[in-house]
Amino acid sequence: MEGRKKSRRYIDYPRLGRKGVRRWLPSWRLWLGTFTFVLACLAGLFAFVYAKIDIPNENALAAREATVYYWADGSQMVSVGAVNRQNVTLDKVPKHVQNAVIAAENATFYEDHGVSLTGIGRAVVNMLSGGDTQGGSTITQQYVKNTYLSPDQTAARKVKEFIIALKVNNRKSKPEILRGYLNTSWFGRGSNGIQAAAHAYYGIDAKDLDPSQGALLAAVLKGSEQYDPGLSKANHARAVARWKWILDRLVATGAMSQEERAQYRDFPEPHPVAKPTSQAGQIGYLVDVANKFVKSATGLTDKDLARGGYRIHTTFDKQRTLRLEQAVDGVRTKSLDPKKRAADTFVEFGAASVRPGDGAIVALYGGADATRHFSNNADTTAVPAGSAFKPFVLATALQQEAEQYGDQPRPVDAPSRAEELRGALMRGDNIPFVQAGKQLGLERIRDLTLGLGLRKESLAQLEQTFPLGTSAPSAVRLASAYTTFANGGLHAEPYAVAKMSHQGRAVTGFERTEPQRVVTPAVAQEMTNTLSGLGWRALGVPGGKPVRQPVAAAVSEAKDRMKSAWFVGSPPPAGAADWGAGWAGSGPGGAGVRADRASGQGDGGEPTTAITLFRNKPGAPQLLPLNGVGGPDTGLGTSLPPQVWAAYQNVA
C-alpha cells in the first residue's frame, strides 16, 4: 500500500544501499554485535557449567584398587598395588623442598588463580588433534587431577579439571593445596606422595631431605619414566640436567642464594631401583614388558597405571615361561662356574618366545631375578646381533631376485648374490656380506629389517659393517623377525597384552592388525631351508651329540671383540618324525627357524625363540668379551644358547 513505511530490519545484512562487494561485507556494528552475543553466550555457558560441576568427594581416593595381571590361560599372575602413600602435614616437608617443587612445576603458584588458560587451551587443542595430552597444568590443576578425577585423557575431563581447580582455589588456602599436591603426586618407584618418595629414593623421611635431594624429587615429577636416574643412562642424563635447572631456578626466583647453590655441585644419587617381592623371578620382567605394551597402545603412563583398578590379560604362557627359566638355570649350573673361571662372572642370559601366526609373546627370560637384576635382558637393545643378523642380508638378496625375475627361473648364466651369501652363511664368512651391503644397498637391507619388525632405534649406523650385525635388537624383536620366515613371509607385530579393562570398562587400543607381507612365500621357504642347515651344525644330527658350529676365520681373528652369542630357533610341529627335522640354528651369533611352518595359518604353532648370552658388569660402559666363558669347549660360550634352546624344548 502506498505511503506505508517499510519495516526496519534488525540485522542489516546483506546491507541496503551498498553495491558490489561492500553489500556483502558486514558493518562494524554487526561485527561488534556478533562478538558481544558470542561472548555473552560463552559467559552464560561458563556460568552454567561452573554451577553444575561441584568438587567431588575427596574420599574417592579410598576406592583405588590394585592392578591385576593375568596369564594367557586367565589365571592370575600377580596383583600390583594398591596405593603406596603416607600423608604428611606441610610442616613435615622442608621449605626448600616446597620451593623446589614450586620452582619446577608452577613458579606463580602463590599468585595465580589455580588455572592456566594457555595450558588448558594447548591441552585441549592437542587432544582434539590427536597430539600429546600432557602439559600446561598448574599445581592446583594437578592436585585436582590427582585427587578428584580419573586418568581419562579427554577434553571433557580437562574442562572439569579447570572448573574444579577454580573452585578449589577459592575454597582452600594455597598451603592446603600444596600439602594435597605433595601427598598425592606420583614420583615413580611405586610411590604416591613426598613421604613415600623420600623412602623410595633415599630411605629417609621427607623432613630429612636436603635441598639437593629435594630438587631431584621435584625433577621426577615431570615424569619418572623419563627422569628416574636409576632406570637408564639416558634417564640419568636427563635427571642431572633437570636437577641443575631446578637449583638454578631456585636462585632465579630468590628462594636460594648463589652461595647456597654453590654447595650443591654433586648429583644426589638415589638408591637403586627395587621391585616389590611379589615381582620376584620372571614376574617383574613380564610386568615390565606388559606395561610397555600398554603404554604404547593406550598412551597411559606409569602414573596412570599406579592409580590401580586395571585388569591386564597378557599373552604369557605360564608353563612355557617356567620351562624357559628352568632351561637357562640348568645350563648355567652345568656349564658356568664363576669360582673356578673368572670369565664366567657377569654372564647374562636373555630370551623370548614369539608365536608365528599372530605375534603373541608367549615366554620371556629377563634375568636371574627381577628384584635383584633390574634390567630386562629379553628387552634390552645393548647386545649386538652378530651373525644372527646375516640371514636378513640373504633375505634381502633373495627378495631382490624374486622381484627381478618374478615367476621366471633365474637364467643359468646370471650371477646370484643370494647363492654366494648362502654359502658364506654356512661357512661363517664375513667378506661376502660386506660386499653385499655395497651391491644391494645398506638402505635396502635396513628397510627389510624394519619390515621384519626391528626397531629403528636398535639399528646401527649404515656403515660398511652394518650387514655383519652391529645392530642390537632385543630378543623379543629378533624372535619376532624370524617368525616372518616361519610364517610364509608374513610379519605380525609382537604383542604382550590381549585385552585390558579399568574398573569394569574395556580399554581400547588392543585391536590387532593383519600380518603384513615382507618377503614372498618362495623366499620365506628358501630362508627356512637354508637356516635348517645351520641348525644341524649348531645342535648336531638327531640322536647324536650336539656339536658346536666351527668359528669362522674372521671371527676367530677377532676373538677379543666377540661380545655376544645368539641362537634363534623353532621346534618341529607335533608328530614330526624326529626332533631336528624342522628347526634350524647356529652357534656364534646364530639363527634358525622351523623349515616346515611356512603356511602362516591361524594364531597357533610352536613359537620362535631367540636366546642371547653376553657379559655385562654393572656400571661398565661396554659389554665384556666372551673369551673363556664356560671353559675351552664352549667356543666363547657360543654353544650355550643352543643348549638352552634344546633344554627348553625338552629334547636334550
Side-chain angles (χ1 to χ4, degrees), residues 603-632:
D603 296 340
E606 290 295 315
T608 297
T609 302
I611 301 164
T612 184
L613 177 148
F614 57 95
R615 293 181 68 213
N616 181 33
K617 183 178 181 180
Q622 301 291 335
L623 298 181
L624 300 175
L626 298 183
N627 302 53
V629 170

Side-chain angles (χ1 to χ4, degrees), residues 84-88 183 192-196 199 205:
N84 175 22
R85 185 182 67 252
Q86 303 168 49
N87 290 334
V88 292
N183 279 321
N192 284 267
I194 189 69
Q195 177 73 351
H199 279 277
D205 287 333

Side-chain angles (χ1 to χ4, degrees), residues 212-213 240 243-244 247 261-269:
S212 184
Q213 294 167 333
V240 170
W243 166 78
K244 290 179 179 178
L247 290 174
R261 169 68 180 89
Q263 299 176 28
Y264 305 110
R265 298 298 178 189
D266 296 329
F267 184 69
E269 296 288 353

